[in-house]
Amino acid sequence: MIILSLVFAIGFAAIHFSAKYMAFISRVSRSRFLSFAGGIAVSYVFVHLLPDLNTHQQVLEKADNGVLQFVENHAYLMALFGLALFYGLENAVSRATKDKQTHVGSGIFWIHIGIFLFYNMLIGYLLIQEEFEHVMGMVFYFLALSVHFVTVDQSMRETHQHVYDRYGRWILTAAVLVGWSIGAVTQLEEALISMMFAFLSGALILNVLKEELPEESDSSFGAFATGLTVYSILLLVA
């Protein structure tokens, strides 16, 4: 599945690169698109991500050593850390946006992009290193995160405007490919991969709740329910 993972990594990169050209997400269709994307993302989190997190917890329990032997629920704690880190980041970005401090020379812009660079590298790395049970598992991973990347890109563009188009999208485009490349030439211990997956899970859950569940006034429950139902059925029958 190495070739397929490379194709998907290039697909992720293409989404980031094309962020400034995605005019199809107009103001009129944005609420439906975000709601549909939110349905897919929530389905992915509850039907696939959380069960996988439990599997990685079992891996970490078997690999207990050093300080970890005194801490229960290692995977869940890493997920919590990922969620808290991204919550703190988004809170800082929100304050900076109000103060108009998200230009290219501001520290908050580079911190925001830097954290998402690491986030994207993890996604690219796990694309090749995560042990998917079958090809469809990788396909569903790609589909869910593709929709997620579209919404993240649009949010970053709204926050940083032309600065994201000029610098940010290029950095995030490269990050996925760099993460995949590292995964292709290195093999980390299973326990470390599980910790990375757990951290990514927490970050993904926070970003899903923030970016892909629009406010009530901008949401479409019909689109949300459609995305959730269709994607859940695909996950369950695969």
Side-chain angles (χ1 to χ4, degrees):
M1 292 197 292
I2 294 180
I3 299 300
L4 183 61
S5 69
L6 175 58
V7 171
F8 287 163
I10 293 173
F12 285 148
I15 290 171
H16 285 304
F17 176 78
S18 305
K20 66 180 292 186
Y21 307 111
M22 292 186 181
F24 68 90
I25 308 179
S26 64
R27 289 187 178 275
V28 176
S29 63
R30 179 176 171 79
S31 64
R32 289 192 179 88
F33 176 80
L34 283 180
S35 297
F36 183 79
I40 292 176
V42 169
S43 171
Y44 181 75
V45 166
F46 283 92
V47 180
H48 184 79
L49 197 65
L50 293 182
D52 272 6
L53 191 58
N54 183 60
T55 299
H56 285 286
Q57 168 61 25
Q58 294 174 13
V59 170
L60 290 174
E61 287 175 353
K62 294 177 183 177
D64 268 356
N65 59 77
V67 123
L68 288 181
Q69 65 183 327
F70 299 107
V71 184
E72 296 182 353
N73 303 320
H74 319 137
Y76 301 108
L77 287 173
M78 281 301 297
L80 180 62
F81 174 68
L83 187 150
L85 177 64
F86 273 80
Y87 178 76
L89 172 66
E90 294 301 330
N91 188 269
V93 170
S94 178
R95 290 200 306 272
T97 301
K98 292 178 181 177
D99 297 334
K100 302 184 183 302
Q101 295 178 359
T102 57
H103 54 83
V104 69
S106 70
I108 195 64
F109 169 76
W110 291 109
I111 292 173
H112 200 194
I113 292 298
I115 293 294
F116 270 92
L117 180 147
F118 177 67
Y119 180 77
N120 278 21
M121 285 180 64
L122 272 183
I123 288 173
Y125 184 87
L126 291 174
L127 181 61
I128 188 172
Q129 285 291 334
E130 174 70 2
E131 295 183 0
F132 297 99
E133 294 183 2
H134 45 70
V135 172
M136 290 308 297
M138 186 182 291
V139 171
F140 290 139
Y141 179 86
F142 173 74
L143 290 177
L145 291 179
S146 291
V147 174
H148 174 63
F149 277 156
V150 171
T151 57
V152 167
D153 278 323
Q154 296 310 305
S155 175
M156 296 280 268
R157 291 190 74 220
E158 288 180 1
T159 300
H160 302 293
Q161 302 176 8
H162 68 280
V163 178
Y164 181 72
D165 288 341
R166 187 175 181 183
Y167 300 99
R169 69 187 179 98
W170 289 98
I171 294 171
L172 299 190
T173 294
V176 177
L177 297 176
V178 169
W180 184 91
S181 300
I182 293 174
V185 299
T186 62
Q187 179 64 56
L188 299 178
E189 293 184 4
E190 189 178 22
L192 186 54
I193 292 176
S194 292
M195 292 182 70
M196 291 167 59
F197 179 90
F199 174 84
L200 178 63
S201 297
L204 184 59
I205 289 170
L206 187 280
N207 285 315
V208 163
L209 294 176
K210 176 184 178 294
E211 304 294 352
E212 293 167 67
L213 291 181
E215 295 179 3
E216 183 179 355
S217 59
D218 298 322
S219 64
S220 168
F221 181 75
F224 173 82
T226 300
L228 185 144
T229 302
V230 170
Y231 197 77
S232 295
I233 291 173
L234 288 175
L235 286 175
L236 292 173
V237 302

